[in-house]
Amino acid sequence: MNPPLATLVGVRPHRVDGAALRRRVGGRTVVVTGASRGVGRAVAARCTAAGAHVVLLARDGGALASVADRLPAAGGRASTIAVDLRDTDAARDAAERVLADHGPPALLVSNAGHSIRRDLAAYTDRFHDVTRLAGVNLLGPIALALPLLAAMRARGGGHLVSVGTVGVGLPGPGWSVYTATKAGLDAWLRSVSPELRGDGVAVTSVHLPLTRTAMSAPTYGRSRLPALTADGAATWVCRAVVTRARVVSPWWARAGAVATAALPGTIDRLAARAWRR
């Protein structure tokens, strides 16, 4: 896709200053959740290549070990912690283990997520879908982040990057549970960011457009819609690590969020018509 068209549809590839990324993370501890595949694995590879010690978190310990063995070595290294974020006690224990073994991280990339495309009628009798996504997308990430953020604040510096979706500010029929849980985390970050800023801890929310990963494949595997690759999305994340921007999002998602807030009734009617079609 040519650059002007990529910019128009919100999948413009970013460039990352490798030297700047190394200055941010080289020789420091970086924690990446959802690191066994997709965007998380690509971010972990970038940070390891930049000389960081990357702590990989995901449910599948075997997959994590395989990723750690294959990460590029350029002065960096990797270790793994298998944890299911749906278990909030286990998530907090994982954070405490990071602190005990490595001290406060310079960077936490909260990337793990779970997505289900299901309309309201389809999960009326499946409340476990709600609790499952809330655990992975909202409660677990907060349980993991709390001890790490406390340690960052005490040290006087750090950075939390949350990998979310453009859907947090837009109506998403069929994606209600996914967007609600991701939007909940985004709202939490919006509220704690001013508190953290005073202690030198930055917060970035990355709102990714459609990205080709195993998570999106069941719904969009055959779609011809413009999309980022996992590596392209990792570039967005790593650029955010360098710039420490508060929000990274395509222009149309920001415009859509403003329109949704300003004209909720109109946007709701338009979304309803699109959903019926």
Side-chain angles (χ1 to χ4, degrees):
M1 184 179 297
N2 63 65
L5 180 58
T7 299
L8 181 64
V9 298
V11 295
R12 176 173 62 90
H14 290 300
R15 292 186 178 182
V16 178
D17 184 333
L21 182 63
R22 179 172 288 274
R23 287 194 294 271
R24 289 291 192 193
V25 304
R28 297 179 173 88
T29 299
V30 172
V31 178
V32 182
T33 70
S36 62
R37 60 183 187 175
V39 178
R41 179 173 60 191
V43 170
R46 296 285 189 92
C47 290
T48 306
H53 172 209
V54 183
V55 184
L56 312 172
L57 274 67
R59 287 184 296 168
D60 189 335
L64 283 178
S66 178
V67 171
D69 289 342
R70 297 177 182 180
L71 287 179
R77 56 196 177 97
S79 57
T80 66
I81 299 176
V83 60
D84 187 340
L85 292 180
R86 293 176 295 183
D87 183 341
T88 53
D89 289 336
R92 186 174 183 88
D93 288 345
E96 297 292 357
R97 180 175 166 187
V98 170
L99 296 174
D101 293 347
H102 311 291
L107 171 66
L108 166 61
V109 180
S110 183
N111 165 75
H114 186 49
S115 170
I116 297 177
R117 185 182 187 274
R118 192 164 285 146
D119 63 31
L120 181 63
Y123 69 85
T124 298
D125 297 322
R126 294 175 56 93
F127 187 69
H128 60 277
D129 287 344
V130 180
T131 57
R132 180 169 44 157
L133 267 67
V136 178
N137 296 339
L138 174 61
L139 302 178
I142 293 176
L144 176 76
L146 286 173
L148 300 179
L149 290 174
M152 290 180 186
R153 297 181 83 176
R155 189 184 58 187
H159 190 186
L160 166 58
V161 176
S162 174
V163 181
T165 169
V166 293
V168 298
L170 303 171
W175 300 99
S176 53
V177 179
Y178 175 63
T179 55
T181 51
K182 280 294 191 179
L185 181 62
D186 207 63
W188 182 72
L189 293 170
R190 196 159 53 243
S191 295
V192 301
S193 180
E195 300 180 39
L196 295 169
R197 182 179 291 272
D199 294 316
V201 179
V203 172
T204 299
S205 297
V206 180
H207 300 159
L208 291 179
L210 177 61
T211 303
R212 304 287 183 198
T213 64
M215 187 172 75
S216 66
T219 303
Y220 294 108
R222 297 183 179 181
S223 170
R224 295 185 179 181
L225 290 172
L228 290 172
T229 63
D231 192 62
T235 303
W236 282 38
V237 174
C238 290
R239 187 170 185 269
V241 172
V242 172
T243 64
R244 295 197 166 197
R246 175 61 192 87
V247 176
V248 176
S249 183
W251 68 267
W252 54 263
R254 296 193 298 271
V258 171
T260 299
L263 303 166
T266 300
I267 298 299
D268 195 65
R269 286 190 293 273
L270 292 173
R273 291 173 187 169
W275 177 248
R276 286 195 298 271
R277 286 199 297 268

